C-alpha cells in the first residue's frame, strides 16, 4: 500500500498541496482527478522523490520511498523521458541494463499489443505511439506499483482505446495503479478508487462501484456534486 | 461478448445481468465453461477486480460452479436456471407494463397486438437467437 | 557490470559524436598546420638565401635553427584546436547536467528514477568528464611524435634542432599543465581539476534545487570551496608568516583539496536525495 499522509507543497509563495492524504492499494486502480494545475503531477513527483515536500510523509509498505524502492514502484510521466535519438530497441535495452525487474517477455508482448516497430527512432514516432512506448517502458517492469500521469492526454482516440485496454488486461493485473487525469471518459468503468482534488486538498475519496451500488450515481454525477457545490 | 455499460449501475451487476441474459436465452448452455476472470476482463474491457467480483456474486447465487482447479462452468441446476429465465421474463414484462399502463389499452387488444408482433418478428428474424 | 559503470558508459556514448568531431578537428588542424608552417618556413629560408645571396651555413648562423616546439607554441593551427577542446569540455561540464532538463519531460526523470544511488549519476558524469579529458590528452600525446616526424620529414636536418618529446613538453607551459612530468604533478593538476568539476556540479545542483535562490547559494558554495582550498594562504597572508616548508605546504594543500572534494560530494548527495526538483 502507498500512503500519502498530509503532504504540503509550496512553489515559491504558491501553495500547491495543502495537506493531501490518501492511500492506494495493490491490485487496485486509484484515479486522481482534478483540473489542470491542481497539483496531481506534483503528488506523483512527490511520491517518487522528484520534488521535495514541505511537510508530510509518503510511505510504501511502511518504508519511505527512495532509490531502493524503484524496482518496486515506477513512474510513467505524461511525456516520454527517453533520449529522442534512441530507437525503441535501444530504450528497452537501457531499461534492461538498469532494472532487475525488467521483464523482457512482457516487453516483447507489449510491442505486439501496441503494434510498435522496435527499430523506429523515438523522435520519428507519432504522438500516440510515443505515448505507447512511454507506457511500455514502465509496464514491462515487474513492479508492485505503477504511477501514470495523464496517459490519455493529447493523443488520438484509437491510441486512447488501446491504452485503456491495458487496464483491463493482465498487464496491470494484481498491481497497484495510480493514474491522474482531468477527464475520465476513457476509464470511468475501469477505475476502483476515485480521489477528487481541488485547491491542493482532497475533496472526496470513494470507491466507484460503491457509489453506483449505494447511491445509483455515476462517477461523473459525484464529480458534478462535489465540484459545483 | 460486448456490453454497453451504463454509468449508474455497478459494473459487476451489469456483468452478472449480462450472464443471466445469455443463460436465459441459451447462448450459454448448462455446464458450459466460462472464461477466466482475466479473459473476461480483457474481453469486456473491465477491471479484473470487477470480473472477479461478478464471478463471486454468480458463484454465491449458484449460477456458476467451480470444481478444483478447472475453469468455472454454468450451473446445471434446473431450478436455478428456471429461476434465472423466469426473473428475466418477469423483468421484461415489468418494463413493458410500466410503459403500456399509462396508455390504458384494453388487455385483449394488447394481447392480440403482442401475438401479432411476436410471430412476425420471430419469423422475420428466422427464429435466430444467436448473437 | 555495476550501474555506475553502465552510467559512465552511457554518458560517454551521449557525447561521443561531438567528441569524435573534436578529435577530428584537432588531428586535421594540427597536421595541416605542421605541413603548412614547415613549408612556409622552408620558403622563407629559400627566399632569404636567394634574396640575400647567402649560404645555408650563413643563414643558420644568422637566424639559428628551429625546433618543433617553435612551431607548436606559436601556431594557431596547433593551439586553436586545443583551446577549442578545452572550451568544449568546460562547456560540457555544465551541459552534461542541463541537457537532462531540456524539453518537456526530460531525461533527468529517467536518471533520478534509476534503482541505484542517485550519487552514482553525479559520479558517472564526473568520471565521464575526466575520461573525456584523458582521452583528448592521449590523442595529443599520440599526435606529438607523428607531427614531429612530419616536421623532420619536411625540414632538412641542418635547419632544425631535434628534442625528445619529454623535453618538448618541458619547454611548453601550456602542454606541461595537461601532460604533467611527474606523478605528483599529475595528482596535483588532475586533483584540482576533479575538485573544480565537483564544486561546479554541486553549484549546478544548488541551482537545480532552488532555482533563482539556488544561484546565490551556488556562488556562496563556490566561495566557500575557494576559502577552504586556499585556507593556509589566507592564514599566512594574514599573519605575514610562512610556517611551512614547500613539502608541508603541498601536504596541507592536498588535505584541504580532499576536504573540498568530500564536502562537494556530501552536499551533492544531500541535494540529489532531498532537494532536487525535476
Amino acid at each position: 500500500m502507498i500512503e500519502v499522509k498530509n503532504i504540503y507543497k509550496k512553489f515559491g509563495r504558491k501553495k500547491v498541496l495543502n495537506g493531501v492524504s490518501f492511500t492506494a492499494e495493490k491490485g487496485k486502480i486509484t484515479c486522481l482527478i482534478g483540473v489542470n494545475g491542481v497539483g496531481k503531477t506534483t503528488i506523483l513527483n512527490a511520491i517518487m522523490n522528484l520534488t521535495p515536500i514541505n511537510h508530510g510523509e509518503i510511505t510504501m509498505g511502511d518504508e519511505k520511498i527512495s532509490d531502493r524502492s524503484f524496482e518496486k514502484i515506477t513512474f510513467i510521466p505524461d511525456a516520454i523521458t527517453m533520449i529522442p535519438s534512441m530507437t525503441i530497441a535501444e530504450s528497452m535495452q537501457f531499461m534492461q541494463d538498469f532494472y532487475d525487474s525488467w521483464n523482457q517477455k512482457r516487453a516483447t508482448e507489449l510491442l505486439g499489443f501496441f503494434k510498435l516497430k522496435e527499430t523506429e527512432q523515438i523522435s520519428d514516432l507519432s504522438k500516440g505511439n510515443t505515448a505507447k512506448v512511454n507506457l511500455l517502458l514502465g509496464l514491462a517492469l515487474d513492479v508492485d506499483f505503477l504511477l501514470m500521469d495523464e496517459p490519455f492526454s493529447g493523443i488520438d482516440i484509437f491510441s486512447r482505446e488501446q491504452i485503456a485496454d491495458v487496464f483491463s488486461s493482465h498487464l496491470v493485473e494484481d498491481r497497484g495503479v495510480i493514474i491522474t487525469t482531468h477527464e475520465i471518459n476513457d476509464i470511468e468503468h475501469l477505475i476502483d478508487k476515485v480521489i477528487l482534488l481541488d485547491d491542493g486538498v482532497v475533496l472526496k475519496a470513494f470507491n466507484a462501484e460503491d457509489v453506483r451500488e449505494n447511491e445509483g450515481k455515476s462517477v461523473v454525477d459525484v464529480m458534478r456534486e462535489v465540484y459545483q457545490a | 461478448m460486448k456490453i454497453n455499460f451504463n454509468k449508474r449501475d455497478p459494473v459487476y451487476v451489469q456483468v452478472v445481468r449480462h450472464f443471466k441474459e445469455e443463460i436465459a436465452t441459451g447462448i450459454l448452455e448448462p455446464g458450459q465453461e466460462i472464461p477466466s476472470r482475466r479473459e473476461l476482463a480483457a474481453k469486456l474491457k473491465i477491471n479484473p477486480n470487477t470480473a472477479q467480483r461478478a464471478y463471486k456474486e454468480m458463484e454465491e447465487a449458484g449460477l456458476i460452479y467451480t470444481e478444483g482447479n478447472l475453469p468455472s462452468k454454468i450451473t446445471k441446476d434446473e431450478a436455478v436456471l428456471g429461476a434465472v429465465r423466469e426473473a428475466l421474463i418477469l423483468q421484461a414484462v415489468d418494463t413493458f407494463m410500466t410503459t403500456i399502463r399509462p396508455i390504458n389499452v384494453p388487455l385483449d387488444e394488447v394481447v392480440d397486438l403482442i401475438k401479432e408482433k411476436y410471430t412476425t418478428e420471430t419469423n422475420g428474424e428466422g427464429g435466430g437467437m444467436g448473437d | 557490470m555495476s550501474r555506475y559503470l553502465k552510467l559512465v558508459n552511457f554518458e560517454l556514448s551521449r557525447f561521443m559524436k561531438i567528441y569524435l568531431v573534436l578529435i577530428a578537428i584537432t588531428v586535421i588542424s594540427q597536421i595541416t598546420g605542421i605541413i603548412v608552417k614547415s613549408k612556409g618556413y622552408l620558403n622563407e629560408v629559400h627566399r632569404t638565401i636567394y634574396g640575400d645571396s647567402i649560404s645555408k651555413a650563413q643563414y643558420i648562423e644568422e637566424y639559428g635553427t628551429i625546433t618543433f616546439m617553435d612551431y607548436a607554441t606559436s601556431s594557431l593551427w596547433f593551439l586553436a584546436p586545443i583551446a577549442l577542446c578545452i572550451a568544449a569540455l568546460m562547456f560540457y561540464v555544465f551541459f552534461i547536467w542541463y541537457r537532462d532538463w531540456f524539453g518537456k519531460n526530460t531525461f533527468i526523470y529517467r536518471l533520478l528514477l534509476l534503482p541505484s544511488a542517485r550519487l552514482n549519476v553525479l559520479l558517472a558524469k564526473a568520471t565521464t568528464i575526466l575520461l573525456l579529458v584523458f582521452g583528448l590528452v592521449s590523442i595529443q600525446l599520440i599526435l606529438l611524435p607523428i607531427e614531429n616526424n612530419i616536421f623532420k620529414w619536411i625540414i632538412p636536418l641542418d635547419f632544425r634542432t631535434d628534442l625528445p618529446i619529454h623535453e618538448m613538453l618541458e619547454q611548453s607551459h601550456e602542454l606541461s599543465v595537461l601532460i604533467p612530468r611527474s606523478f605528483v604533478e599529475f595528482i596535483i593538476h588532475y586533483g584540482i581539476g576533479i575538485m573544480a568539476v565537483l564544486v561546479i556540479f554541486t553549484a549546478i545542483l544548488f541551482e537545480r534545487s532552488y532555482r533563482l535562490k539556488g544561484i546565490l547559494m551556488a556562488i556562496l558554495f563556490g566561495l566557500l570551496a575557494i576559502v577552504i582550498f586556499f585556507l593556509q594562504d589566507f592564514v599566512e597572508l594574514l599573519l605575514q608568516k610562512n610556517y611551512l616548508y614547500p613539502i608541508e605546504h603541498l601536504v596541507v594543500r592536498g588535505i584541504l583539496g580532499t576536504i573540498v572534494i568530500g564536502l562537494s560530494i556530501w552536499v551533492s548527495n544531500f541535494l540529489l536525495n532531498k532537494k532536487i526538483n525535476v
Side-chain angles (χ1 to χ4, degrees):
Chain A
M1 186 169 77
I2 292 179
E3 252 189 299
V4 173
K5 287 177 230 165
N6 201 25
I7 59 170
Y8 287 75
K9 171 75 187 173
K10 273 194 296 188
F11 284 116
R13 280 200 205 115
K14 195 169 171 261
K15 291 176 182 168
V16 181
L17 303 177
N18 279 315
V20 169
S21 302
F22 66 89
T23 61
E25 288 78 20
K26 223 184 141 193
K28 282 194 175 165
I29 300 171
T30 302
C31 190
L32 303 179
I33 296 176
V35 292
N36 285 331
V38 83
K40 298 179 303 246
T41 304
T42 308
I43 294 173
L44 299 191
N45 281 342
I47 293 176
M48 298 308 281
N49 193 20
L50 291 169
T51 192
I53 49 174
N54 303 112
H55 184 271
E57 198 185 22
I58 300 166
T59 54
M60 181 174 71
D62 294 330
E63 262 181 56
K64 286 212 168 173
I65 292 170
S66 70
D67 49 74
R68 280 182 298 279
S69 321
F70 295 155
E71 296 275 15
K72 290 257 161 75
I73 177 170
T74 202
F75 179 32
I76 305 173
D78 63 345
I80 196 157
T81 59
M82 265 296 168
I83 295 168
S85 62
M86 284 165 82
T87 63
I88 296 178
E90 283 167 345
S91 310
M92 289 166 62
Q93 187 60 49
F94 178 90
M95 297 300 282
Q96 187 166 26
D97 283 347
F98 284 98
Y99 288 88
D100 295 334
S101 56
W102 179 258
N103 184 331
Q104 184 60 32
K105 213 184 115 214
R106 169 127 33 82
T108 315
E109 192 188 336
L110 277 157
L111 276 178
F113 188 89
F114 287 138
K115 300 185 176 64
L116 294 165
K117 270 219 309 282
E118 251 186 308
T119 48
E120 276 195 281
Q121 200 170 310
I122 287 169
S123 54
D124 294 340
L125 297 173
S126 68
K127 268 189 173 182
N129 280 349
T130 310
K132 288 174 208 163
V133 174
N134 188 29
L135 217 55
L136 181 153
L137 296 177
L139 284 171
L141 293 171
D142 276 328
V143 289
D144 295 340
F145 281 96
L146 272 166
L147 274 50
M148 299 184 195
D149 195 15
E150 299 273 3
F152 299 103
S153 73
I155 51 173
D156 62 283
I157 179 157
F158 302 112
S159 299
R160 290 220 302 269
E161 275 181 3
Q162 248 183 333
I163 289 172
D165 284 351
V166 165
F167 295 97
S168 58
S169 74
H170 62 284
L171 297 165
V172 299
E173 198 181 38
D174 298 329
R175 309 206 226 173
V177 177
I178 302 179
I179 177 172
T180 70
T181 185
H182 58 277
E183 51 128 29
I184 62 157
N185 277 342
D186 295 295
I187 48 166
E188 181 166 355
H189 63 286
L190 282 167
I191 53 186
D192 292 295
K193 271 179 94 167
V194 182
I195 316 274
L196 300 182
L197 293 156
D198 202 15
D199 286 333
V201 292
V202 174
L203 294 181
K204 194 177 169 86
F206 58 93
N207 287 317
E209 286 283 78
D210 288 352
V211 298
R212 293 188 198 109
E213 176 122 61
N214 303 332
E215 302 172 40
K217 288 174 186 160
S218 72
V219 173
V220 175
D221 290 337
V222 179
M223 285 171 64
R224 205 172 286 129
E225 280 173 21
V226 168
Y227 286 120
Q228 295 185 348
Chain B
M1 216 190 290
K2 176 96 183 132
I3 309 179
N4 282 319
F5 291 105
N6 75 58
K7 296 184 173 197
R8 295 199 171 86
D9 288 324
V11 178
Y12 85 93
V13 171
Q14 298 184 60
V15 174
V16 172
R17 195 186 299 146
H18 175 79
F19 268 89
K20 283 182 176 170
E21 278 169 17
E22 297 210 321
I23 291 170
T25 53
I27 294 171
L28 289 172
E29 287 165 5
Q32 186 178 332
E33 270 182 23
I34 55 169
S36 70
R37 87 172 174 135
R38 181 191 267 193
E39 287 162 355
L40 183 74
K43 226 186 241 173
L44 296 180
K45 302 189 187 304
I46 57 172
N47 188 318
N49 295 327
T50 310
Q52 171 72 27
R53 177 127 184 236
Y55 277 3
K56 195 170 153 251
E57 291 285 322
M58 297 201 302
E59 188 113 39
E60 278 168 11
L63 284 173
I64 57 171
Y65 66 97
T66 317
E67 284 167 343
N69 280 330
L70 295 169
S72 301
K73 289 174 182 162
I74 303 291
T75 183
K76 294 174 189 162
D77 186 331
E78 292 295 336
V80 175
L81 292 170
V84 167
R85 186 166 174 274
E86 201 171 315
L88 198 71
I89 297 169
L90 267 175
Q91 204 186 351
V93 172
D94 281 345
T95 317
F96 175 68
M97 290 301 285
T98 48
T99 43
I100 200 77
R101 205 132 1 236
I103 310 175
N104 272 329
V105 200
L107 181 62
D108 290 346
E109 200 184 336
V110 173
V111 172
D112 285 345
L113 271 170
I114 291 174
K115 269 185 190 160
E116 195 182 315
K117 276 266 179 201
Y118 211 82
T119 41
T120 51
E121 261 184 29
T122 314
N123 291 340
E125 276 179 16
M129 282 273 224
D131 219 333
Chain C
M1 199 166 43
S2 79
R3 291 191 173 100
Y4 158 74
L5 289 177
K6 284 179 193 164
L7 273 172
V8 172
N9 179 43
F10 187 76
E11 288 287 355
L12 279 175
S13 69
R14 289 175 78 189
F15 192 63
M16 209 30 81
K17 267 187 207 154
I18 300 171
Y19 195 58
L20 291 178
V21 170
L22 286 176
I23 290 173
I25 289 174
T26 307
V27 172
I28 292 168
S29 172
Q30 289 195 352
I31 291 192
T32 313
I34 191 79
I35 294 170
V36 168
K37 279 279 179 175
S38 304
K39 295 252 175 175
Y41 171 79
L42 268 192
N43 287 341
E44 186 64 36
V45 168
H46 285 145
R47 215 174 303 132
T48 314
I49 289 177
Y50 293 118
D52 300 355
S53 307
I54 52 173
S55 70
K56 248 197 226 174
Q58 279 176 309
Y59 178 91
I60 293 165
E61 200 169 309
E62 193 160 331
Y63 297 97
T65 57
I66 63 162
T67 66
F68 173 71
M69 287 320 284
D70 290 336
Y71 149 70
T73 52
S74 67
S75 166
L76 271 184
W77 288 101
F78 184 86
L79 293 175
I82 295 179
L84 176 74
C85 289
I86 291 172
L89 285 185
M90 289 208 321
F91 174 70
Y92 199 59
V93 167
F94 292 88
F95 194 61
I96 200 173
W97 284 101
Y98 284 103
R99 70 182 299 179
D100 287 335
W101 265 274
F102 281 166
K104 185 172 184 290
N105 283 356
T106 51
F107 199 65
I108 195 67
Y109 276 83
R110 222 20 98 199
L111 290 178
L112 294 181
L113 292 179
L114 290 176
S116 94
R118 284 182 178 175
L119 189 60
N120 279 341
V121 173
L122 178 133
L123 295 178
K125 284 183 190 293
T127 310
T128 301
I129 297 288
L130 190 67
L131 289 177
L132 292 173
V133 172
F134 281 155
L136 286 176
V137 170
S138 316
I139 296 285
Q140 190 60 71
L141 272 178
I142 295 167
L143 271 178
L144 280 177
I146 295 174
E147 290 163 7
N148 194 25
N149 278 331
I150 297 173
F151 173 79
K152 284 188 198 167
W153 176 57
I154 296 174
I155 308 278
L157 186 61
D158 300 339
F159 291 102
R160 63 168 205 256
T161 307
D162 292 334
L163 289 173
I165 294 281
H166 66 93
E167 270 180 50
M168 285 186 207
L169 294 178
E170 273 171 46
Q171 280 191 3
S172 160
H173 181 67
E174 292 90 343
L175 284 179
S176 65
V177 173
L178 290 175
I179 308 165
R181 279 153 296 182
S182 70
F183 184 69
V184 174
E185 260 188 33
F186 173 85
I187 295 288
I188 294 170
H189 292 175
Y190 284 90
I192 291 173
I194 291 167
M195 181 185 76
V197 167
L198 288 172
V199 169
I200 291 171
F201 278 10
T202 310
I204 292 169
L205 291 178
F206 266 116
E207 191 279 324
R208 288 288 85 191
S209 297
Y210 300 97
R211 303 293 149 112
L212 267 182
K213 246 191 283 173
I215 295 176
L216 187 70
M217 293 158 105
I219 292 169
L220 290 177
F221 182 78
L223 289 176
L224 177 70
I226 290 170
V227 168
I228 295 175
F229 189 58
F230 292 105
L231 196 60
Q232 56 177 336
D233 306 76
F234 290 130
V235 170
E236 282 175 357
L237 207 69
L238 221 64
L239 303 177
Q240 300 284 335
K241 257 183 189 168
N242 288 344
Y243 287 105
L244 302 170
Y245 293 112
I247 184 71
E248 290 172 333
H249 211 275
L250 201 65
V251 170
V252 173
R253 174 80 78 237
I255 292 170
L256 292 174
T258 312
I259 290 174
V260 172
I261 288 176
L263 182 71
S264 260
I265 291 178
W266 184 79
V267 172
S268 295
N269 189 42
F270 171 78
L271 291 173
L272 278 170
N273 284 305
K274 304 275 186 210
K275 296 294 172 196
I276 201 83
N277 237 318
V278 289

